[in-house]
Amino acid sequence: DAGVIQSPRHEVTEMGQEVTLRCKPISGHNSLFWYRQTMMRGLELLIYFNNNVPIDDSGMPEDRFSAKMPNASFSTLKIQPSEPRDSAVYFCASSATGVGTDTQYFGPGTRLTVL
Amino acid sequence: GEDVEQSLFLSVREGDSSVINCTYTDSSSTYLYWYKQEPGAGLQLLTYIFSNMDMKQDQRLTVLLNKKDKHLSLRIADTQTGDSAIYFCAATDAYGGATNKLIFGTGTLLAVQP
């Protein structure tokens, strides 16, 4: 299995621009999670989906952030407009909820720099 | 809800044992996990323990769980320079409902000196 796939791996953009991060979960997994990691705040859960439905988006920082999961094999996290404080590494993870240990498997992350 | 805490930094010499500690607050967490993050990479699952166990061993890794004190530890025997990384403790959130929301600790940076 290819594991969780994220694209792009690196993104540099200017303040005010729209940024879209993409994630392909492991085939057969029914839960998907978006995290943000910074030195100051550590690893934060932004939003998670179960069977393509958003379950908890309480971690989304503000209205500039939105996430979608149109089907079981694809999700996006969009920031519009982006700000320098959004610079971070964004991780996507997936799991097979209700099967065994519900272990989350992480992608390699997207390093976002907003100038 | 669940809260998970770890010490921030641990330095050991190559060949020594490393012990990374973690405390959590919610005794109803079903599983507890250890993840490893190397520089520039995502989090990689190292091992996990079910809440009704008190020890699990996997090659050089030993996980100890003290449910009474809500304390979890990861012992790495014969620590190598390749073990240098950030180690995250995580617990299932009993309030996560149908989905296994995990609560992560801040991570412990393990530095292995040659």
Side-chain angles (χ1 to χ4, degrees):
Chain A
D1 199 323
V4 176
I5 299 172
Q6 291 187 247
S7 65
R9 293 294 311 277
H10 302 273
E11 176 81 31
V12 180
T13 190
E14 292 188 346
M15 184 173 64
Q17 296 299 305
E18 177 179 296
V19 174
T20 299
L21 311 181
R22 297 173 176 80
C23 175
K24 177 178 168 54
I26 293 172
S27 177
H29 282 188
N30 58 356
S31 293
L32 184 140
F33 306 79
W34 281 102
Y35 291 89
R36 178 172 68 175
Q37 186 178 38
T38 61
M39 289 291 292
M40 292 298 294
R41 300 175 69 92
L43 192 65
E44 303 173 274
L45 176 64
L46 300 178
I47 184 171
Y48 66 93
F49 296 82
N50 182 247
N51 294 322
N52 312 336
V53 176
I55 301 299
D56 183 355
D57 65 354
S58 60
M60 296 286 261
E62 48 199 272
D63 292 345
R64 297 184 298 106
F65 286 69
S66 62
K68 293 182 180 178
M69 192 164 185
N71 57 61
S73 58
F74 184 66
S75 178
T76 59
L77 178 67
K78 185 177 292 187
I79 308 172
Q80 166 64 18
S82 58
E83 296 183 2
R85 59 192 168 123
D86 302 329
S87 297
V89 181
Y90 291 82
F91 290 105
C92 175
S94 71
S95 71
T97 299
V99 177
T101 65
D102 292 347
T103 299
Q104 290 185 25
Y105 296 87
F106 281 73
T110 295
R111 181 173 295 276
L112 173 65
T113 302
V114 183
L115 303 175
Chain B
E2 179 76 273
D3 189 26
V4 178
E5 294 193 355
Q6 302 177 237
S7 53
L8 293 181
F9 182 74
L10 176 66
S11 178
V12 299
R13 290 197 177 276
E14 190 173 21
D16 288 350
S17 291
S18 307
V19 179
I20 302 171
N21 295 302
C22 169
T23 58
Y24 60 98
T25 56
D26 192 337
S27 59
S28 56
S29 292
T30 309
Y31 289 98
L32 297 125
Y33 305 81
W34 284 104
Y35 283 83
K36 176 184 180 182
Q37 184 180 30
E38 295 180 349
L43 276 71
Q44 171 196 358
L45 177 70
L46 274 183
T47 187
Y48 64 89
I49 189 166
F50 189 47
S51 59
N52 69 352
M53 299 169 65
D54 46 23
M55 187 182 88
K56 181 178 180 181
Q57 187 152 4
D58 184 1
Q59 299 182 333
R60 292 190 297 122
L61 305 179
T62 303
V63 179
L64 295 177
L65 175 60
N66 181 328
K67 286 194 69 176
K68 175 176 171 291
D69 295 337
K70 301 190 188 69
H71 182 267
L72 183 74
S73 67
L74 173 69
R75 179 178 181 270
I76 305 173
D78 187 24
T79 312
Q80 303 297 306
T81 54
D83 295 323
S84 294
I86 301 174
Y87 291 80
F88 290 90
C89 170
T92 49
D93 184 359
Y95 300 94
T99 306
N100 64 327
K101 180 177 175 179
L102 292 185
I103 305 300
F104 283 86
T106 54
T108 299
L109 175 61
L110 175 63
V112 182
Q113 312 299 325

